Amino acid sequence: MNISMKSSWKIFAGMFLLMANLTLNSCVNGDFDEPPIFIPKVDFESNTTIAQLKASYTGLKQITDDIIIKGIVVANDESGNLYKKMIIQDATAGIELALDKTSLYNEYKLGQRVFVKCKNMYIGDYSNLIQLGYLFSGAIGRLPEIFMPNHLFRDSLPGPPPQPQTLTTIGLVNASLISKLVKFENVRFAESSVMWAPQSADATNLTLLDAGNNQLAVRTSKYANFASQLTPKGFGNVTGILSIFGTTYQLTIRDLSDVQSFTGVDPPPPGSGTGTFDDPFDVVKAIANNTGTGKWVHGYIVGVYETDVSPFVANFNAPFRTNSNILIAATSGETNLINCLPVQLPAGDIRNALNLVNNVGNKGKQVKVFGNLEAYFSQPGIKSLTGYWMDGTGIIPGTGSVTFFEETFATSMGAFTEKSVIGAQIWIWDTYKYMK
C-alpha cells in the first residue's frame, strides 16, 4: 500500500493532537482544594464589663490589673469619618479604642466580637471622652500597631452589629450613652442642602434638631468619603456614635446609610423675630439662622464660657470667673450648652454692665444684645456687640447711652419735683397713684 507524504503528515498531526489531549487530561484535576476559612477563636473569657471599666476611671493611668473586656465593633474607619480608632460596645456601655493603624475595617468589621486585654494599656480621656490606648506626650494617645496583637483578639466571624438605642428626643441624651450607637427619630438638620464637611476645615459641626428644637452637634471629618455630598432636607432618622467634647455632646455618623427616611421638605425656620430692637430674634432663631450683621437678639442670661481652663467649659452657677462673654438662652433655667447662644462682650460699658463676674445678679435676667450673628466657641453665637438693653437701660447704636425713667406713684410723687408754671392750678399727687 502506498501512502503519500501529505497523508503521512495528516496521520502524524492527528496522533500528536491525540497524545497532547491525553497528556492534558491526565494532568488537570477539576476538583480544586479550597483554602481553609480561618475562624478566630479566643480561649479565655472577659472578667469586666465596659461600664465597670469606665466607672473605675479617675484619671489617666496605665492599667496594671488583668482586666479583660469584650465588645462588638459598632464603628470603624471604613468611611474615613473616624481615623485610627474604632468603637466597641457590650450590653452595658461603649468605649473608644485609639489605635495607631489605618484601614482597621479590614480586620475589625462591624459586628466583629473583640476581646481586649487591658493590662499595660492606658486609659484616659480626651476632653471628657474616655478612651483606651497608650501614653503619648503625657496624655492619652494611640496604642502602637506593634502592641495590638498583645491586646486585641477577634473571636469568631463578624455577626450583625447591635441595634442602636432609639431616642425619641435629643433631650434624652446623657453620659451613659457616650460611645454607644444611638438613633434619633424625626429629626432634621438646621443646615440642609450643605456639604457635610467642606475642605476648608479639618472637621465641621452641623446642628441636628428634633421637633422640640433640642439640638445636637453632628461632627464630620473632611476626610469622610461623603464629605462633599449634601445634607438632606426635611425630617428623618439619624444613627451614629454619641461622643462628648468638654460639656458638648456630639454625634458621629459612620456613613450615609446612617441617614434615612428624610422627607426632602424643610419646615419653616424655627423661632421668631426680625432682628430689630422692637422685634428681636429669639435665641432659637438666632441659633438656627446664625448669620447677619447688626441684629438684635433677646434671651435670658444663664451663664458664661469659662476660658481660664482647657478645654473651655460652660458654667451655669456662681461664682463666675470669665467676664468676656455670657451665655443667653430661651429660658432662664437652661443648662444645656447646645441650647445657649454665646455672646462676646467687648471691653468697656457693655462688658461692665452685663458680665457675671461683677454682676452676679444679672443671672436669670432678660437682655437684648445687638451685634453680628456668627460662630463663637465653635457654635452659633453673637459677636462684635455695639448695643444692649436690660432693666430699662442700655446702649442703642446711633443714639448712644439711653435710660428710660419709670415712676409708679405708688405712695407719692417719688423722684419727681412739682413745678407749676402757668395758672392757678398746681400739680398734686393723688391717692389713686397718679399725678394731677
Side-chain angles (χ1 to χ4, degrees):
M1 178 173 56
N2 293 326
I3 300 175
S4 67
M5 181 65 71
K6 184 175 182 180
S7 297
S8 299
W9 170 250
K10 288 182 178 179
I11 293 172
F12 175 76
M15 292 178 65
F16 176 80
L17 291 172
L18 178 61
M19 291 175 64
N21 188 48
L22 290 172
T23 302
L24 287 172
N25 285 336
S26 65
C27 294
V28 177
N29 185 349
D31 297 327
F32 294 99
D33 292 332
E34 295 184 1
I37 297 176
F38 173 69
I39 301 178
K41 181 66 177 176
V42 302
D43 57 1
F44 52 86
E45 292 293 335
S46 61
N47 56 25
T48 306
T49 68
I50 295 176
Q52 288 170 336
L53 175 64
K54 294 174 73 172
S56 69
Y57 176 68
T58 57
L60 176 67
K61 68 174 182 178
Q62 188 173 32
I63 298 173
T64 56
D65 296 329
D66 289 312
I67 293 175
I68 302 174
I69 62 173
K70 71 175 178 180
I72 305 296
V73 176
V74 291
N76 56 29
D77 59 355
E78 185 168 8
S79 74
N81 205 21
L82 295 174
Y83 179 67
K84 292 188 175 182
K85 66 180 66 173
M86 66 181 182
I87 317 297
I88 64 171
Q89 74 175 58
D90 62 13
T92 67
I95 194 167
E96 182 173 299
L97 306 181
L99 308 168
D100 199 13
K101 183 179 181 179
T102 57
S103 300
L104 290 164
Y105 67 92
N106 287 325
E107 294 180 68
Y108 303 97
K109 300 184 183 301
L110 297 184
Q112 176 67 60
R113 183 164 58 245
V114 178
F115 284 74
V116 182
K117 290 186 174 181
C118 301
K119 186 175 181 178
N120 295 327
M121 292 181 71
Y122 281 79
I123 186 169
D125 73 273
Y126 178 71
S127 195
N128 288 336
L129 179 64
I130 296 175
Q131 301 172 321
L132 270 178
Y134 209 71
L135 191 65
F136 180 76
S137 297
I140 190 67
R142 302 186 184 102
L143 181 72
E145 181 178 356
I146 194 172
F147 293 161
M148 287 176 57
N150 299 329
H151 296 282
L152 271 64
F153 302 87
R154 291 178 295 153
D155 184 57
S156 192
L157 297 177
Q163 289 298 306
Q165 182 168 340
T166 299
L167 303 178
T168 54
T169 72
I170 291 173
L172 295 175
V173 165
N174 62 78
S176 70
L177 300 174
I178 294 174
S179 295
K180 290 189 70 174
L181 189 66
V182 295
K183 178 181 180 181
F184 298 95
E185 295 181 334
N186 195 33
V187 290
R188 68 182 184 86
F189 287 92
E191 310 90 349
S192 63
S193 300
V194 301
M195 289 176 60
W196 283 91
Q199 298 301 293
S200 56
D202 287 338
T204 297
N205 277 1
L206 300 173
T207 304
L208 196 66
L209 299 167
D210 63 19
N213 286 323
N214 295 302
Q215 302 177 25
L216 179 65
V218 179
R219 189 163 180 83
T220 306
S221 167
K222 73 175 183 180
Y223 300 105
N225 58 16
F226 56 88
S228 62
Q229 298 195 46
L230 302 183
T231 55
K233 291 183 177 181
F235 284 87
N237 303 328
V238 178
T239 299
I241 301 295
L242 186 71
S243 65
I244 194 168
F245 183 80
T247 58
T248 302
Y249 289 110
Q250 298 178 336
L251 188 73
T252 302
I253 67 170
R254 298 166 298 178
D255 55 41
L256 290 187
S257 67
D258 281 339
V259 181
Q260 298 182 338
S261 305
F262 274 75
T263 61
V265 179
D266 280 339
S272 62
T274 58
T276 65
F277 180 85
D278 293 323
D279 187 28
F281 289 150
D282 63 14
V283 170
V284 174
K285 187 166 185 178
I287 292 174
N289 303 273
N290 198 234
T291 183
T293 59
K295 302 296 182 182
W296 282 98
V297 180
H298 75 98
Y300 293 89
I301 300 176
V302 296
V304 304
Y305 240 128
E306 302 288 15
T307 60
D308 58 347
V309 291
S310 181
F312 303 154
V313 296
N315 181 15
F316 297 98
N317 297 293
F320 301 102
R321 307 184 304 275
T322 302
N323 68 355
S324 57
N325 72 82
I326 55 173
L327 299 172
I328 64 174
T331 60
S332 59
E334 183 64 66
T335 58
N336 189 342
L337 177 61
I338 206 160
N339 295 326
C340 299
L341 191 75
V343 180
Q344 185 185 56
L345 301 180
D349 292 340
I350 295 178
R351 180 181 296 182
N352 294 340
L354 300 185
N355 85 82
L356 287 176
V357 176
N358 306 112
N359 308 282
V360 68
N362 284 352
K363 186 177 185 301
K365 285 187 176 182
Q366 195 169 29
V367 66
K368 291 182 187 180
V369 291
F370 180 80
N372 301 335
L373 293 171
E374 57 182 290
Y376 187 32
F377 294 113
S378 300
Q379 69 180 80
I382 184 166
K383 301 170 66 176
S384 304
L385 260 62
T386 56
Y388 81 95
W389 194 257
M390 185 176 69
D391 290 339
T393 185
I395 298 173
I396 300 177
T399 62
S401 180
V402 177
T403 298
F404 287 137
F405 179 77
E406 181 180 4
E407 176 57 64
T408 63
F409 303 114
T411 59
S412 68
M413 70 173 64
F416 277 86
T417 300
E418 177 265 327
K419 184 175 178 64
S420 303
V421 178
I422 297 176
Q425 302 295 327
I426 60 172
W427 285 105
I428 61 171
W429 174 78
D430 192 280
T431 56
Y432 286 100
K433 301 180 182 179
Y434 66 94
M435 295 295 294
K436 65 180 183 181

